[in-house]
Amino acid sequence: MLFGMLEHIFERCEIPAISIPDILFLEGVLDDIWQADDDIQPMFMPGCVYFGFRSFPAVLKNYARLGGVPKVFLIRDPRDMLTSQYFAFGGKHFSHKLPNKNADSLVDYHMRDKHMEIDEYVIKHAEFLHAKLYDYREHVFDENLLMLRYEDIFFDKAHFLESVLTHIGVIIDNDIIKQIAAAHDIRPVSEDPTRHIRRGTPGDHAKKLQPATIEKLTTMFRDLMGDFGYRL
């Protein structure tokens, strides 16, 4: 939803932008293959917007220009993130988009968890998510970072887009922003586990996870999320 809006608005306004993760994904090159590849670094040049990152690429950890450029980070309740991940990649559901190449490898990789129910799945994947968020905190937190919340994009996409564009120094007609926000304001009337936007509503974990699971995740993520300005 986020990346779709950004891609739409960048194309509409002819802003040079690229999603390296999405391009490589469609070619069957997954994140763990390219993110530490130094050959990727020359692709990051001034004057272009880079988006689509779902984890912080190791290749950028020593990138000298990173500290001086505007960055936007969208944070979501990790308990909701893990719940959504289960329905996108949990094996028995698998609603995520597939690459054009090597799709079978991606499906086989995630089908290893097809025997798991949701509580077992989210606990298994929680440590990896914690490490991913910690990595972002260590490498993108500076005075040039704009931190936004998933709840805000879900309920007010036009304001979200305005905030992002203002932060990166782009001026666009407000009518265009409203049009693109409306086109991407997808709020399913009923839940459909087969669709990528299954539900989207913030707080969904409270309906899907057992209280003991929620308590364990809350304890694990509370301190880290506090650094993101997020109270669990």
Side-chain angles (χ1 to χ4, degrees):
M1 180 170 58
L2 164 64
F3 299 145
M5 283 198 299
L6 293 178
E7 184 175 28
H8 192 172
I9 205 162
F10 294 148
E11 289 180 353
R12 177 77 177 270
C13 301
E14 298 183 345
I15 297 171
I18 183 173
S19 174
I20 293 175
D22 287 334
I23 290 173
L24 293 176
F25 175 81
L26 291 176
E27 291 299 310
V29 182
L30 303 184
D31 288 351
D32 58 349
I33 295 175
W34 69 264
Q35 287 193 340
D37 188 347
D38 289 336
D39 290 339
I40 295 291
Q41 193 172 113
M43 297 182 67
F44 293 95
M45 298 179 293
C48 187
V49 178
Y50 296 90
F51 68 102
F53 299 100
R54 295 161 181 85
S55 58
F56 187 80
V59 69
L60 291 182
K61 289 184 178 179
N62 297 314
Y63 188 62
R65 296 193 184 98
L66 189 61
V69 299
K71 296 170 286 291
V72 177
F73 187 87
L74 182 69
I75 186 64
R76 185 182 186 183
D77 188 322
R79 300 166 299 185
D80 278 350
M81 291 170 66
L82 289 163
T83 299
S84 178
Q85 180 179 323
Y86 171 76
F87 286 97
F89 288 116
K92 67 183 70 176
H93 299 284
F94 209 96
S95 62
H96 197 278
K97 182 178 181 179
L98 293 175
N100 296 328
K101 300 178 182 179
N102 300 325
D104 290 344
S105 297
L106 178 68
V107 173
D108 290 344
Y109 177 81
H110 289 285
M111 285 294 285
R112 62 187 177 157
D113 294 333
K114 66 179 181 179
H115 64 285
M116 292 183 179
E117 297 300 328
I118 187 168
D119 290 271
E120 182 183 4
Y121 179 92
V122 300
I123 293 299
K124 174 186 174 182
H125 290 269
E127 288 189 9
F128 180 78
L129 176 58
H130 189 281
K132 180 190 297 187
L133 293 175
Y134 181 88
D135 217 20
Y136 268 118
R137 189 193 69 177
E138 293 301 293
H139 294 97
V140 302
F141 275 33
D142 59 34
E143 67 277 7
N144 293 308
L145 177 70
L146 174 65
M147 181 83 67
L148 296 170
R149 292 161 52 97
Y150 174 85
E151 289 82 353
D152 299 326
I153 181 179
F154 187 81
F155 291 111
D156 192 348
K157 296 174 178 63
H159 179 70
F160 168 83
L161 285 174
E162 291 173 3
S163 299
V164 171
L165 295 171
T166 298
H167 185 67
I168 65 176
V170 174
I171 299 176
I172 294 177
D173 187 279
N174 197 50
D175 287 340
I176 296 177
I177 293 177
K178 289 180 180 179
Q179 291 171 15
I180 293 175
H184 290 269
D185 193 16
I186 302 172
R187 305 187 193 186
V189 176
S190 59
E191 183 173 343
D192 185 352
T194 66
R195 297 178 62 88
H196 185 50
I197 302 181
R198 171 187 54 87
R199 183 176 178 84
T201 309
D204 190 44
H205 72 274
K207 298 182 174 68
K208 299 293 190 298
L209 304 178
Q210 294 296 318
T213 303
I214 296 174
E215 182 178 358
K216 186 170 184 176
L217 294 176
T218 301
T219 300
M220 178 185 295
F221 285 95
R222 180 181 285 117
D223 290 343
L224 178 61
M225 293 303 292
D227 294 338
F228 287 83
Y230 215 108
R231 292 187 61 185
L232 296 185

